[in-house]
Amino acid sequence: MELRSALRQAALARPAVLTAVLPGATRARLAVERELGDRRWPHAPSPAAADLLVLVGSPREEAPAWLDGTWTALAEPRALVRIDDPPGARAALDAGHAALLRGAAGPERQRARKDPGPYVPGNGGPVRDDGRTPGPTGHHGGHDRADGSAAHSHDTPALISGLPLAERADDRDGLRLDRLHVPFGPVLPDWPAGLVLRLTLQGDVVQEVTGVEVVEAAPAPRPPFWDEPWRQAAAGAPVSRGAAARRRCAAHLDSLGRFLAVADWPDAAARARRLRDAALAGAPARELAHAVERLTRRVGRSRTLRWLTSGIGVLPREQALAAGIGGPALAADGDAWDRTVRWLTEAARSAAACDDPRPLAPDDPAGPRGGLAGRCPPSRALLDVLPPLLRGAELAAARLTLASLDPDPDELAPVAAGEVTRG
Amino acid sequence: MADSAPLWTAAALPVLLVPAALAVACADARSAAPAREVLRLLVQQPRRTVAADTLATRTGTVLLPVAAVLAAAVVPLGSTPVSDLGDGVVWFNAMEALAWAAVWLAGWGPGSTLSAVGGYRFLAQGLAYEIPHMLALTTAALGAGSLRVTEIADAQRGLWFAVWMPAAFALYLLSAAAMAFWGPFGQPAGRDLARGVASELTGADRLLLLGGRRLLLLTSAAMAVPLFLGGGHGPLLPGWAWTLVKTGAVLALLLWLRRRLPGVRMDRYTELAWVVLTPLAVLQALVVAVVVLP
């Protein structure tokens, strides 16, 4: 028994962490990512691979259905922690780790637990009386679950273990193929916080985007992290141009990190994220500009990345303007590769201006994703353009398109009244 | 020509391969994380998905490492493989083809979209890499005039095949990564699919699939040595040491490439494979045929 317990301790010394990030929680997410990096705890790509589920931010309801679904999908031993403020990250992860070790302590405890039963990919949350799960979940899978009781099965005859069979429809080549309705998000690796895309898939081709939603979060105490300097300046607070440039540089590096991770280039993604953290930690402009220049050489001159990302998610200038898109996505006037290059260029330019002490003009509300002066936040337009852009794309291309636009759901999250201008 | 090794080596083969594959994984991660991961997956309790085809999943996850080890049986360490089959190259290729079935079954079994898409991605990958790969294998066999792996290695006493069949060697290296769906060719278990075929696997199933992938990478890198790099032949060192050194060099090259390249999507790569790489492979085979056949 001693050996067994020691083995468990060793196995869970660095638990794999799955983060479920809510809109409005970018500050906390960055803190958690830094902390995980320091501890060298691996990131889990899916619930099946995770030991510790970390909920970053506060949901509007206490226990939203998607969270239940994700939690059910974790295998034992498992633990859940919640982090909604950056300084609390360290203590919360320690608590989660302790709970995990406690939970894994002995077989008695394991047996005492209720068997959660098999997991339904695609939802897996608690099932309502109408036989449908109440909300989107982190995971994939193609089916809505009926509750499996006899009372319902006669309504929908084609059920297997309570799951309806896929329907059929013509695909883009006129073949009659299975069609699945799959929610993507909100818990996927390198995915915008809390975003749920409802996709109709045939094979790995997106036939249609039937819904673009963002899960509901509690009102955030502060304005969106990436837009903060411009919002503050617009509200009359003194903000230096350097601080704004630093934030823009970090925002683009964050987007690049996500895009490169989706493009399955972990080495380059890790570099971009290290640079992002360095920018936010106040690295001197010269040093930062030099490092961004090196990243640009590696990524911006990669023929392979160019070959793989050009022609994907083409968004010409006119279409972008019509959709109300500003910022790099408009300026890039092209495909995923053009937007990547645009981010690199803007990040390099901003890095060089990081120590500019002159005050930011209050009438210059050009945030990292576009103008902030309008009625709609720039990310709204980026999300609205997704259904036409993703139609007919393969899943890999769809994910690259989304990552190359990188809407920031923080901009759509409610902000607590009276707190907008606070620093 | 060498004989097969004694029978006990068949049992020793997996015992040798598993730690070696783990070492490669650690070198890839530049840390001991994969070793911890093995331990973590061993204590993790399995979790099922609803209406999962458990038989398919199990078959797939078990088949992958088994196929890798069976493929390794014809790879000579020094000059002696576990089994010196007369048509070793065909055996090797057949065992890799088993991996197609294994990955597809493991992806299909859990009944989850991301997992199934991952499985199908590997089939698409197979369509793209397999033809140039088979032509590369054929070219090496043609150069030696034999399908026996040890004879192919012996035919390179004077000059390595990598030197005078560079295209075949390069194509073999690409397909070595592709058949192990690793690195730039890791899309079947891609990050955009939350690890695709592995996305729903827990505990031992996950360990077998991801470990099998490492074994396959190790085996296919090791096979490059007798096929193109002169096998165990070399000065000073004994044959087995040369095999290890050369395998290490091939793996180091692959790991280095991994850091330079993003994931390669098959919708783009298939075009390259059929329009450029396959004709290139045919041309290389033709050149070798003209040189070898009097």
Side-chain angles (χ1 to χ4, degrees):
Chain A
M1 280 300 116
E2 279 304 309
L3 177 69
R4 204 160 151 168
S5 136
L7 209 61
R8 283 217 169 101
Q9 291 272 349
L12 294 170
R14 288 183 190 167
V17 176
L18 178 70
T19 49
V21 187
L22 281 150
T26 297
R27 278 179 197 82
R29 169 175 68 87
L30 293 172
V32 169
E33 283 182 13
R34 262 198 310 278
E35 189 64 32
L36 292 180
D38 289 347
R39 294 169 184 236
R40 300 210 190 163
W41 288 7
H43 284 273
S46 68
D51 304 310
L52 187 60
L53 176 60
V54 175
L55 177 65
V56 185
S58 332
R60 206 169 64 90
E61 310 162 53
E62 190 48 40
W66 61 265
L67 185 61
D68 277 345
T70 310
W71 170 244
T72 317
L74 262 72
E76 295 281 353
R78 57 182 175 170
L80 167 71
V81 289
R82 207 165 130 167
I83 297 174
D84 42 20
D85 60 328
R90 181 180 294 262
L93 288 177
D94 282 338
H97 194 199
L100 198 58
L101 291 176
R102 262 201 317 280
E108 303 79 31
R109 216 187 136 82
Q110 299 293 347
R111 235 180 284 117
R113 261 176 212 204
K114 198 173 127 244
D115 179 14
Y119 158 63
V120 187
N123 37 50
V127 179
R128 280 190 196 153
D129 284 341
D130 61 4
R132 296 176 70 85
T133 46
T137 69
H139 241 63
H140 24 282
H143 320 282
D144 278 321
R145 181 190 190 181
D147 72 1
S149 68
H152 293 280
S153 51
H154 67 264
D155 295 326
T156 41
L159 287 178
I160 289 181
S161 305
L163 302 172
L165 285 175
E167 58 190 284
R168 292 194 170 195
D170 291 342
D171 85 335
R172 59 182 179 184
D173 301 322
L175 297 168
R176 212 159 170 73
L177 294 180
D178 281 359
R179 196 161 77 150
L180 297 174
H181 301 280
V182 188
F184 267 67
V187 189
L188 278 174
D190 309 303
W191 184 258
L195 180 68
V196 180
L197 286 186
R198 297 191 174 277
L199 304 181
T200 304
L201 294 179
Q202 281 185 320
D204 68 344
V205 175
V206 179
Q207 287 290 305
E208 212 177 343
V209 182
T210 51
V212 179
E213 301 154 20
V214 174
V215 298
E216 290 181 324
R222 292 167 71 176
F225 180 71
W226 300 121
D227 298 340
E228 197 174 42
W230 296 273
R231 292 256 183 242
Q232 285 175 347
V239 178
S240 75
R241 286 190 198 185
R246 192 174 283 281
R247 193 62 61 90
R248 184 192 307 279
C249 176
H252 289 342
L253 287 169
D254 186 50
S255 300
L256 280 165
R258 200 170 293 125
F259 176 76
L260 292 169
V262 170
D264 216 354
W265 195 356
D267 200 46
R271 270 174 193 236
R273 286 171 173 160
R274 272 200 304 276
L275 275 181
R276 170 200 70 190
D277 290 343
L280 291 174
R286 256 179 62 112
E287 211 174 278
L288 197 60
H290 187 64
V292 174
E293 178 57 34
R294 277 214 306 274
L295 181 74
T296 307
R297 268 206 300 277
R298 170 64 65 95
V299 174
R301 292 189 195 163
S302 164
R303 281 159 190 261
T304 321
L305 188 66
R306 180 179 192 154
W307 168 54
L308 290 166
T309 56
S310 49
I312 285 185
V314 181
L315 185 64
R317 194 178 161 77
E318 304 77 55
Q319 196 186 337
L321 272 177
I325 288 171
L330 174 72
D333 182 24
D335 51 29
W337 170 252
D338 295 320
R339 290 191 283 275
T340 309
V341 172
R342 184 76 205 172
W343 275 336
L344 285 166
T345 317
E346 285 195 16
R349 197 188 303 143
S350 307
C354 268
D355 292 338
D356 188 344
R358 287 175 295 167
L360 185 68
D363 55 349
D364 173 30
R369 286 171 176 80
L372 299 168
R375 187 184 297 269
C376 272
S379 290
R380 179 80 264 167
L382 290 174
L383 285 175
D384 288 344
V385 84
L386 284 176
L389 269 189
L390 301 191
R391 190 175 302 134
E394 272 149 299
L395 268 182
R399 283 221 58 181
L400 281 172
T401 304
L402 173 63
S404 72
L405 293 169
D406 200 38
D408 177 16
D410 279 25
E411 293 182 347
L412 310 177
V415 174
E419 297 276 356
V420 179
T421 58
R422 215 189 63 187
Chain B
M1 199 200 80
D3 295 320
S4 293
L7 202 60
W8 61 266
T9 51
L13 186 63
V15 179
L16 280 174
L17 282 178
V18 169
L22 188 60
V24 174
C26 288
D28 189 9
R30 290 181 176 174
S31 71
R36 255 191 303 273
E37 177 77 0
V38 169
L39 209 55
R40 204 178 67 75
L41 290 176
L42 285 175
V43 304
Q44 194 179 44
Q45 297 187 359
R47 182 215 69 192
R48 291 176 299 130
T49 49
V50 159
D53 191 337
T54 315
L55 183 65
T57 315
R58 273 297 132 69
T59 311
T61 51
V62 171
L63 194 56
L64 194 65
V66 168
V69 172
L70 287 179
V74 296
V75 181
L77 179 65
S79 56
T80 327
V82 168
S83 171
D84 194 19
L85 292 176
D87 42 11
V89 172
V90 178
W91 170 267
F92 178 78
N93 199 218
M95 290 307 111
E96 304 158 23
L98 268 187
W100 292 15
V103 174
W104 184 82
L105 282 169
W108 177 262
S112 153
T113 308
L114 293 192
S115 173
V117 168
Y120 278 109
R121 273 188 185 177
F122 193 53
L123 296 190
Q125 187 147 315
L127 281 179
Y129 85 79
E130 190 64 27
I131 300 284
H133 174 69
M134 275 163 46
L135 284 165
L137 289 178
T138 312
T139 310
L142 191 64
S146 169
L147 287 170
R148 193 184 289 271
V149 181
T150 49
E151 285 181 4
I152 295 176
D154 285 342
Q156 302 171 63
R157 269 178 205 282
L159 187 62
W160 290 0
F161 283 173
V163 177
W164 69 283
M165 326 176 169
F169 179 53
L171 289 174
Y172 181 84
L173 284 186
L174 281 181
S175 50
M179 80 178 77
F181 58 108
W182 167 88
F185 294 95
Q187 290 288 295
R191 190 158 174 86
D192 59 334
L193 292 183
R195 287 278 171 268
V197 286
S199 62
E200 297 294 349
L201 299 180
T202 47
D205 287 330
R206 194 178 185 84
L207 183 61
L208 283 170
L209 185 93
L210 297 179
R213 170 163 98 143
R214 295 292 179 171
L215 284 172
L216 212 52
L217 179 70
L218 178 65
T219 304
S220 51
M223 187 66 169
V225 176
L227 286 181
F228 294 101
L229 298 175
H233 297 294
L236 298 176
L237 294 177
W240 61 267
W242 272 117
T243 306
L244 293 186
V245 168
K246 290 171 184 177
T247 306
V250 171
L251 285 166
L253 179 67
L254 289 173
L255 294 190
W256 178 79
L257 265 179
R258 172 53 183 149
R259 303 200 167 266
R260 314 283 303 183
L261 293 176
V264 176
R265 291 197 324 281
M266 281 309 123
D267 56 328
R268 295 275 154 103
Y269 187 75
T270 308
E271 192 182 334
L272 180 77
W274 285 80
V275 176
V276 180
L277 301 185
T278 304
L280 185 69
V282 171
L283 206 65
Q284 175 76 87
L286 200 69
V287 169
V288 171
V290 168
V291 172
V292 173
L293 304 175

